[in-house]
């Protein structure tokens, strides 16, 4: 009886797992076969890398990769600096008005940047940042989620360390840099993984703010490449899709454990 | 003595505000000011060639309430939320229970569940195109084996929104599974042992012990899923563009279309304000509810 339920469990779990990765498997199948063989699910048809060649030549992918890479780096650096400073102020300093400002910051959690696209677009244009990578990244830098996360991390630092550093003659920023930042390393790592995967995948906002291949990230490039008016077939689209998800997917498969831990840490705290 | 305390206090206040200011400036520029500006511009008429902008009060809102497309989009989004939230939570729970039990191939199972989470929604939509394309798609191929006719899943109003919903659930369930996994690992082993000694069935154990202990996690996930039901629209750009005849159009896509395809910023602003208001109410209810809960604990 017990082994039967165990078998049923494994069975159900694996069926669901196979269903869950089926779209990826089919894309892999389509990308490595000629279009007609791919759609007929002709199992004995020859393998080919032609689709990847066609897809690679169809758009400036290298530029798109670099843009996405620059974008997530710019956002991450901005977020680290801003959320560290603000998180520290909220966690360790006493000053009038602090609680009200904190509530304001938390309000941003439900004022989704995604919903404010119209005014943010106007703002980015006004600042002269339209069609720049900085323009894509800036609205996400002062992340309320990040500020909250860093505040929690800094609150957990023992006050004795703070006092000791002060007696040693360390200034406030020195204490922040030498005591708090090193101790919050795991939180930074978790936040970095969540932030990078979010912004690597972001689409709507970059679609609005970018206008040229010089600034366009991978997601926007992929959507333009796959548009039906470009007349590319499903095998080539699959190849392009696999190419563009490969870096993050490979990174995920290698660092799977850390990745999942990071999501856990960032979500639960 | 008190002079010293005063000095220290003032020093902390100055430092506090200095450290906050970069974040405060950006939050003001990209969240608070735009919210207020959106509210403001929702009260003005659209700037056309013949008519310059003028103050019209709540007329834009009245227009929306009289517009059947707006109500269709609202209905679509409620349906989208009403199906994706419980379905992705239910599947996430099943995934977590399985991924946490001692089954064979657990590593593969976990990876398979979580993988869609790391893919961009745009890429996910491209993968699903291969399933949905009429005639060529995998679903039609499977159907034809059983002699079923070809179905244009994305091209007909009856199925388009469902096609979008399935991609969303596929993308989200693995992400929510992670939170359930974390919660499951905090449930003490001795509860399970005690239940085994009592001869409690596995179903009863799950229903009476595990599910109640997972309630706070479920609440957290539900709030996330609710926010996502407004946010997740990228696949619309690839799969349906909101069509056919608006059958799969969701509210954020409608805002985008209104502003950047129809160039009607005031109406886009009015919808934005309505969405923010609803999200605000949800946040307030959640806050009050959570507040009460912690009171009783």
């Amino acid at each position: 009886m017990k082994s039967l339920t165990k078998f049923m469990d494994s069975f159900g779990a694996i069926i669901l797992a196979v269903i869950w990765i089926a779209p990826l498997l089919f894309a892999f199948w389509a990308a490595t076969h000629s279009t007609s063989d791919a759609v007929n699910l002709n199992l004995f048809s020859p393998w080919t890398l032609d689709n990847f060649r066609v897809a690679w030549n169809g758009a400036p992918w290298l530029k798109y990769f670099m843009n996405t890479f620059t974008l997530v780096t710019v956002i991450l650096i901005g977020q680290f600096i801003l959320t560290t400073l603000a998180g520290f102020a909220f966690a360790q300093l006493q000053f009038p008005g602090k609680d009200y400002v904190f509530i304001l910051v938390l309000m941003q959690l439900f004022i989704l940047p995604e919903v404010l696209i119209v005014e943010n677009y106007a703002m980015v244009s006004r600042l002269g940042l339209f069609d720049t990578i900085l323009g894509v990244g800036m609205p996400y830098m002062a992340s309320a989620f990040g500020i909250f996360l860093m505040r929690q991390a800094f609150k957990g630092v023992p006050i004795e360390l703070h006092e000791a550093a002060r007696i040693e003659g360390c200034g406030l920023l020195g204490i922040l840099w030498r005591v708090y930042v090193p101790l919050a390393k795991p939180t930074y790592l978790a936040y970095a993984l969540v932030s990078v995967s979010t912004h690597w995948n972001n689409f709507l906002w970059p679609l609005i703010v970018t206008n040229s291949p010089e600034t366009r990230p991978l997601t926007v490039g992929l959507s333009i490449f796959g548009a039906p008016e470009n007349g590319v077939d499903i095998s080539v689209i699959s190849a392009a899709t696999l190419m563009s998800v490969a870096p993050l997917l490979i990174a995920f498969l290698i660092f799977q454990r850390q990745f999942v831990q990071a999501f856990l840490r960032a979500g639960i705290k | 003595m008190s002079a010293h305390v005063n000095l220290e206090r003032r020093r902390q206040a100055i430092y506090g505000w200095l450290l906050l200011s970069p974040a405060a400036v950006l939050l003001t520029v990209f969240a608070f000011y735009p919210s207020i500006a959106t509210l403001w511009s929702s009260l003005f008429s659209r700037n056309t060639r013949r008519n310059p902008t003028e103050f019209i009060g709540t007329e834009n809102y009245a227009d929306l309430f009289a517009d059947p497309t707006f109500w269709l989009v609202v209905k679509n989004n409620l349906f989208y939320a009403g199906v994706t939230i419980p379905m992705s939570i239910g599947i996430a729970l099943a995934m977590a229970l399985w991924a946490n039990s001692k089954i064979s191939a657990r590593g593969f199972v976990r990876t398979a569940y979580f993988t869609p989470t790391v893919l961009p929604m745009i890429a996910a939509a491209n993968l699903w195109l291969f399933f949905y394309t009429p005639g060529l798609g995998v679903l039609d191929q499977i159907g034809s084996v059983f002699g079923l006719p070809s179905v244009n899943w994305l091209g007909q109003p009856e199925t388009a929104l469902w096609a979008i919903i399935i991609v969303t659930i596929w993308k989200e369930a693995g992400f929510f599974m992670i939170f359930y996994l974390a919660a499951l690992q905090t449930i003490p082993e001795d509860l399970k042992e005690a239940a085994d000694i009592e001869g409690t069935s596995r179903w009863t154990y799950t229903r009476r012990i595990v599910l109640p202990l997972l309630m706070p996690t479920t609440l957290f996930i539900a709030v996330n899923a609710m926010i996502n039901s407004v946010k997740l629209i990228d696949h619309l750009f690839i799969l349906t563009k909101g069509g056919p005849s608006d059958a799969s159009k969701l509210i954020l896509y409608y805002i985008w279309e209104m502003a950047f395809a129809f160039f009607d910023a005031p109406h886009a602003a009015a919808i934005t304000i309505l969405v923010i208001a609803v999200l605000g109410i949800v946040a307030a209810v959640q806050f009050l509810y959570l507040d009460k809960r912690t009171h009783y604990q």
Side-chain angles (χ1 to χ4, degrees):
Chain A
M1 185 62 202
K2 195 131 202 180
S3 67
L4 181 72
T5 47
K6 206 180 147 192
F7 172 77
M8 291 301 287
D9 264 351
S10 304
F11 190 69
I14 290 170
I15 292 280
L16 190 63
V18 169
I19 293 173
W20 236 244
I21 53 163
L24 258 177
L25 293 181
F26 276 112
F28 185 72
W29 164 266
T32 51
H33 292 82
S34 74
T35 314
S36 59
D37 285 340
V39 296
N40 292 323
L41 296 178
N42 190 347
L43 289 180
F44 301 104
S45 51
W47 294 58
T48 170
L49 290 176
D50 258 13
N51 298 312
F52 287 97
R53 198 174 44 76
V54 174
W56 182 258
N57 292 329
W61 297 107
L62 214 53
K63 187 73 201 156
Y64 294 161
F65 268 116
M66 282 314 293
N67 291 341
T68 294
F69 186 77
T70 314
L71 175 66
V72 295
T73 312
V74 164
I75 292 179
L76 195 61
I77 291 172
Q79 284 177 333
F80 272 3
I81 295 171
L82 291 172
T83 61
T84 299
L85 297 180
F88 180 67
F90 281 129
Q92 297 298 342
L93 299 177
Q94 302 306 324
F95 54 94
K98 184 172 93 161
D99 296 339
Y100 296 105
V101 185
F102 190 60
I103 290 172
L104 271 178
V105 169
L106 289 186
M107 270 173 67
Q108 199 240 333
L109 289 176
F110 72 86
I111 307 179
L112 306 174
E114 284 78 10
V115 182
L116 289 175
I117 45 178
V118 183
E119 278 301 324
N120 278 346
Y121 166 79
M123 181 59 83
V124 163
S125 307
R126 230 174 279 146
L127 295 172
L129 293 174
F130 179 73
D131 203 21
T132 64
I133 289 177
L134 190 62
V136 181
M138 235 166 137
Y140 295 102
M141 286 179 186
S143 134
F145 171 70
I147 292 174
F148 187 73
L149 204 63
M150 293 326 297
R151 172 181 173 266
Q152 296 303 94
F154 291 154
K155 277 205 156 189
V157 173
I159 197 70
E160 290 80 12
L161 290 174
H162 186 124
E163 299 294 332
R166 214 164 73 144
I167 291 164
E168 296 279 329
C170 222
L172 205 56
L173 285 179
I175 297 175
L176 172 58
W177 182 245
R178 294 212 176 84
V179 177
Y180 286 88
V181 170
L183 286 173
K185 244 183 215 156
T187 311
Y188 281 113
L189 183 70
Y191 185 38
L193 280 174
V194 174
S195 167
V196 166
S197 68
T198 307
H199 294 289
W200 191 285
N201 297 342
N202 199 5
F203 170 72
L204 182 63
W205 177 243
L207 172 76
I208 291 167
V209 177
T210 61
N211 202 18
S212 64
E214 295 312 304
T215 52
R216 199 174 281 154
L218 211 43
T219 46
V220 179
L222 186 60
S223 78
I224 291 172
F225 179 78
E229 53 273 23
N230 286 350
V232 273
D233 64 56
I234 202 126
S235 287
V236 176
I237 291 181
S238 296
T241 307
L242 288 181
M243 259 166 22
S244 59
V245 300
L248 210 59
L249 203 60
I250 291 168
F252 164 65
L253 291 176
I254 295 172
F255 299 107
Q256 217 189 117
R257 190 170 283 271
Q258 289 86 335
F259 219 80
V260 171
Q261 291 290 335
F263 273 98
L264 282 182
R265 193 190 296 276
I268 295 299
K269 273 197 173 173
Chain B
M1 180 66 191
S2 82
H4 178 72
V5 171
N6 259 337
L7 191 71
E8 170 62 20
R9 221 178 254 163
R10 202 172 304 160
R11 208 175 64 96
Q12 286 223 1
I14 294 170
Y15 262 114
W17 282 105
L18 276 179
L19 294 184
L20 275 188
S21 54
V25 168
L26 276 192
L27 278 177
T28 309
V29 170
F30 289 109
F32 303 130
Y33 170 78
S35 307
I36 294 164
T38 304
L39 178 63
W40 185 241
S41 66
S42 77
L43 302 176
F44 285 84
S45 69
R46 182 180 171 186
N47 185 11
T48 56
R49 203 136 48 95
R50 269 184 224 158
N51 305 0
T53 306
E54 59 175 277
F55 187 84
I56 55 166
T58 55
E59 213 173 281
N60 286 321
Y61 294 90
D63 285 355
L64 282 180
F65 292 143
D67 172 15
T69 310
F70 172 72
W71 288 113
L72 179 61
V73 171
V74 169
K75 205 190 84 191
N76 285 345
N77 219 130
L78 288 176
F79 185 73
Y80 179 72
V83 179
T84 53
I85 295 172
M87 286 291 283
S88 49
I89 289 179
I91 293 175
L93 183 59
M95 284 174 166
L97 288 172
W98 273 331
N100 200 44
S101 62
K102 296 177 184 68
I103 59 165
S104 40
R106 195 167 64 165
F108 161 72
V109 164
R110 276 193 195 193
T111 309
Y113 293 162
F114 191 68
T115 302
T117 303
V118 290
L119 302 180
M121 195 53 141
I122 285 294
N126 274 341
L127 305 185
W128 279 87
L129 256 187
F130 195 50
F131 277 71
Y132 289 140
T133 311
L136 307 174
V138 174
L139 289 180
D140 265 12
Q141 298 278 336
I142 294 170
S144 72
V145 172
F146 298 100
L148 298 172
S150 161
V151 179
N152 190 357
W153 300 99
L154 299 169
Q156 52 180 16
E158 297 79 26
T159 50
L161 188 54
W162 280 102
I164 296 293
I165 285 173
I166 286 169
V167 178
T168 312
I169 294 172
W170 177 75
K171 186 80 168 57
E172 282 201 286
F175 183 54
F176 296 152
M177 168 193 76
I178 297 295
F179 300 104
Y180 274 132
L181 262 182
L184 282 174
Q185 277 158 16
T186 63
I187 297 178
E189 275 290 308
D190 31 332
L191 281 180
K192 175 76 185 143
E193 278 160 28
D196 280 345
I197 291 167
E198 296 272 322
T200 319
S201 78
R202 207 174 58 136
W203 167 238
T204 315
Y205 169 74
T206 306
R207 197 167 51 92
R208 302 291 289 271
I209 297 177
V210 176
L211 292 186
L213 285 173
L214 290 179
M215 261 323 276
T217 313
T218 304
L219 193 73
F220 171 83
I221 294 174
V223 171
N224 256 291
M226 224 174 311
I227 290 172
N228 283 349
S229 70
V230 175
K231 236 161 68 165
L232 285 180
I233 59 146
D234 294 356
H235 43 337
L236 289 181
F237 284 86
I238 298 274
L239 293 175
T240 64
K241 302 200 187 299
S245 47
D246 300 329
S248 66
K249 196 164 285 172
L250 300 174
I251 202 101
L252 181 55
Y253 191 91
Y254 195 46
I255 294 177
W256 172 82
E257 196 178 50
M258 197 65 106
F260 296 99
F262 304 152
F263 302 104
D264 188 347
H267 280 102
I271 311 173
T272 305
I273 290 302
L274 294 174
V275 173
I276 291 178
V278 171
L279 288 175
I281 292 169
V282 170
V285 168
Q286 181 213 357
F287 181 75
L288 292 175
Y289 180 68
L290 283 178
D291 226 30
K292 218 181 249 166
R293 273 185 67 86
T294 41
H295 214 76
Y296 283 113
Q297 266 170 3

